């Protein structure tokens, strides 16, 4: 009996175990590179903040004086003026809008490799209130294209420069649009996924990617030809981390404020557009949302009522990717930092062998900047450390996948 016949005769659980055994071998054989940030720039908040404002300029340190000058002359003014340049980008080759069954939409931006017809496709999923123009999305796209892969960055509803048409935005466990997009790709006459499909994401987007893979389980491979995934700043369970956003003064006053401004604009838009300006609407808790000083308060006021969660903890429990990772069927690379200010390192979960879980001592939340490499090292600097490692992993899977 041939191998395919044996596989087809197995139960679904046996098939999953077989897929996971293969995927675990691929994940464990990946040789990661050490992250070596300059000692002067290892602080978790320096990494986190400048990861937004100076990723292009400060991914690497070869000349200390030049790096300091860049921070002073470019970084500080951008931080003060909150100029992260996420509103526009000329990088992407194409944008396609996809209509959803509930009369809303999401936009996907594409960047094509030099030989797009032969290239696998990587779907990038961004973080909370980010979009395809964020520096990290762009660096991830560059790293994947450099490995000969096409890239599709899916923008969550309301994040692509135009507010969505319904009172249903997105949240940490919202997998509907990604699954719809996977179905569209699988039915596409151009066969965009024939050369292999991969998922990648960061922060909230990392959770969405992992949750999607777990929910799809075997279908990820057999229906959508997903071969692997790579994520960074992955929360696994929001219950582990929400207190970091409340208890730490710096987190609450610096990080939460910018996110809350964007989310409050959406609350006002939903109230004005869909509730006739009624601030006493039961669709969401308008006053609690507009007076929110933390992300959890905003989530309880907006996300919970709009998506039918009974309370904040019901939302966190049902949105956690941790509940799904045992059913993932493809190799997964997770790159986190032990000093991430949004996570408690002591509460990081144990993960199955199918996940290659790297935790660097430094890097903050989605930073991994100021990596030290020697002059003439020859290492790629097409993007910063984390995107290159994720791209290396996906290329490793592509080269070792079962045909």
């Amino acid at each position: 009996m041939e191998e395919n016949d044996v596989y087809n005769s197995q139960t679904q659980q046996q098939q999953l175990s077989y897929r996971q055994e293969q995927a675990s071998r691929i994940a464990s054989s990946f040789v990661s590179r050490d992250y070596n940030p300059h000692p002067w720039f290892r602080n978790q908040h320096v990494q986190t903040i400048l990861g937004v404002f100076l990723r292009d300029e400060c991914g690497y340190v070869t000349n200390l004086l030049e790096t300091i000058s860049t921070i002073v002359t470019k970084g500080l003014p951008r931080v003060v003026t909150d100029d992260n340049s996420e509103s526009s980008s000329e990088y992407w080759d194409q944008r396609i809008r996809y209509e959803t069954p509930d009369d809303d939409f999401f936009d996907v931006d594409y960047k094509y490799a030099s030989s797009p017809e032969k290239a696998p496709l990587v779907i990038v999923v961004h973080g909370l209130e980010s979009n395809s123009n964020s520096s990290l999305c762009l660096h991830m796209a560059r790293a994947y294209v450099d490995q000969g892969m096409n890239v599709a960055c899916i923008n969550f509803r309301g994040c692509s420069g135009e507010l969505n048409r319904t009172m249903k935005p997105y949240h940490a466990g919202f997998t509907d649009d990604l699954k719809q997009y996977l179905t569209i790709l699988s039915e596409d006459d151009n066969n965009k996924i024939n050369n292999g499909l991969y998922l990648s994401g960061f922060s909230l987007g990392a959770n969405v990617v992992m949750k999607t893979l777990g929910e799809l389980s075997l279908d990820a491979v057999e229906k959508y030809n997903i071969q692997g995934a790579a994520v960074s700043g992955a929360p696994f369970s929001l219950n582990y981390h929400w207190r970091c956003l409340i208890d730490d003064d710096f987190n609450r006053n610096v990080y939460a404020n910018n996110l809350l401004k964007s989310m409050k604009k959406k609350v006002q838009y939903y109230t004005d557009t869909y509730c006739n300006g009624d601030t006493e609407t039961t669709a969401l808790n308008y006053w609690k949302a507009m007076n929110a000083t933390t992300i959890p308060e905003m989530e309880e006021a907006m996300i919970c009522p709009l998506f039918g969660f009974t309370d904040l903890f019901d939302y966190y429990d049902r949105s956690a990717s941790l509940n799904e990772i045992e059913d993932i069927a493809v190799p997964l690379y997770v790159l986190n930092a032990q000093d991430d200010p949004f996570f408690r390192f002591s509460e990081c979960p144990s993960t199955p062998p199918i996940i290659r879980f790297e935790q660097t001592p430094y890097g903050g939340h989605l930073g991994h900047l100021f990596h030290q490499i020697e002059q003439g090292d020859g290492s790629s600097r097409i993007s910063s450390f984390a995107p290159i490692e994720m791209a290396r992993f996906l290329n490793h899977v592509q080269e070792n996948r079962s045909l």
Side-chain angles (χ1 to χ4, degrees), residues 98-151:
Y98 297 93
E99 302 291 326
T100 63
D102 60 344
D103 295 323
D104 217 323
F105 69 90
F106 58 89
D107 291 326
V108 179
D109 291 310
Y110 292 88
K111 187 68 179 181
Y112 300 109
S114 57
S115 300
E117 68 283 350
K118 300 178 181 179
L121 177 66
V122 184
I123 301 173
V124 173
V125 187
H126 63 75
L128 179 64
E129 295 300 281
S130 185
N131 58 53
S132 60
N133 295 324
S134 72
S135 60
L136 186 49
C137 278
L138 296 176
H139 274 238
M140 290 167 69
R142 289 174 195 158
Y144 293 134
V145 170
D146 190 52
Q147 293 284 359
M149 300 175 170
N150 297 323
V151 179

Side-chain angles (χ1 to χ4, degrees), residues 70-340:
T70 298
I71 293 173
V72 173
T73 60
K74 294 183 178 181
L76 294 182
R78 292 176 189 174
V79 172
V80 172
T81 59
D82 193 23
D83 177 16
N84 58 19
S85 300
E86 289 191 7
S87 59
S88 64
S89 172
E90 297 180 357
Y91 175 77
W92 301 101
D93 293 327
Q94 182 183 22
R95 167 169 288 188
I96 297 178
R97 175 162 294 183
Y98 297 93
E99 302 291 326
T100 63
D102 60 344
D103 295 323
D104 217 323
F105 69 90
F106 58 89
D107 291 326
V108 179
D109 291 310
Y110 292 88
K111 187 68 179 181
Y112 300 109
S114 57
S115 300
E117 68 283 350
K118 300 178 181 179
L121 177 66
V122 184
I123 301 173
V124 173
V125 187
H126 63 75
L128 179 64
E129 295 300 281
S130 185
N131 58 53
S132 60
N133 295 324
S134 72
S135 60
L136 186 49
C137 278
L138 296 176
H139 274 238
M140 290 167 69
R142 289 174 195 158
Y144 293 134
V145 170
D146 190 52
Q147 293 284 359
M149 300 175 170
N150 297 323
V151 179
C153 185
I154 182 169
N155 292 274
F156 284 118
R157 300 182 185 195
C159 292
S160 58
E162 182 178 337
L163 289 171
N164 52 307
R165 302 189 197 121
T166 68
M167 289 186 69
K168 188 176 182 181
Y170 67 96
H171 60 77
F174 184 70
T175 60
D176 297 24
D177 290 351
L178 179 54
K179 287 179 178 176
Q180 181 191 341
Y181 182 53
L182 291 172
T183 299
I184 291 170
L185 290 176
S186 70
E187 298 171 350
D188 194 320
D189 290 338
N190 293 326
N191 298 316
K192 291 181 179 177
I193 63 174
N194 280 358
N195 297 316
L197 181 63
Y198 295 89
L199 303 185
S200 187
F202 57 87
S203 198
L204 180 146
N207 190 75
V208 170
V209 165
M210 294 191 297
K211 189 170 186 288
T212 298
L213 289 173
E215 290 173 347
L216 293 177
S217 194
L218 281 172
D219 279 348
V221 184
E222 298 178 355
K223 185 175 180 180
Y224 301 112
N225 200 28
I226 297 173
Q227 300 296 313
V231 299
S232 184
F236 288 101
S237 172
L238 302 181
N239 272 324
Y240 287 166
H241 312 303
W242 71 278
R243 291 234 54 107
C244 295
L245 298 173
I246 292 178
D247 295 339
D248 187 281
D249 290 339
F250 191 91
N251 288 354
R252 186 174 62 252
N253 294 326
V254 176
Y255 301 126
N257 275 346
N258 282 336
L259 295 171
L260 287 171
K261 288 178 185 177
S262 177
M263 297 175 81
K264 287 179 181 181
K265 288 180 181 178
K266 291 182 178 180
V267 170
Q268 189 65 58
Y269 171 77
Y270 294 148
T271 304
D272 292 341
T273 306
Y274 304 114
C275 303
N276 296 316
D278 181 10
T279 57
E280 304 303 323
T281 178
T282 58
L284 48 72
N285 191 327
Y286 175 86
W287 291 113
K288 184 172 184 176
M290 298 308 284
N291 292 321
T293 59
T294 67
I295 298 299
E297 287 175 354
M298 174 60 76
E299 290 171 329
E300 190 163 39
M302 179 175 73
I303 297 300
C304 290
L306 290 182
F307 286 91
F309 298 109
T310 56
D311 57 28
L312 193 63
F313 300 104
D314 180 46
Y315 164 49
Y316 289 165
D317 287 340
R318 290 165 57 187
S319 298
S321 60
L322 184 63
N323 303 331
E324 312 290 345
I325 59 176
E326 294 291 339
D327 292 325
I328 294 176
V330 299
L332 170 62
Y333 178 66
V334 178
L335 177 60
N336 281 9
Q338 295 177 13
D339 67 348
D340 191 316

Side-chain angles (χ1 to χ4, degrees), residues 3-4 19 22 195 227 397-403:
E3 186 175 359
N4 283 343
R19 291 285 189 187
Q22 285 190 318
N195 297 316
Q227 300 296 313
V397 177
Q398 180 73 3
E399 292 179 341
N400 291 276
R401 64 183 182 144
S402 297
L403 300 176

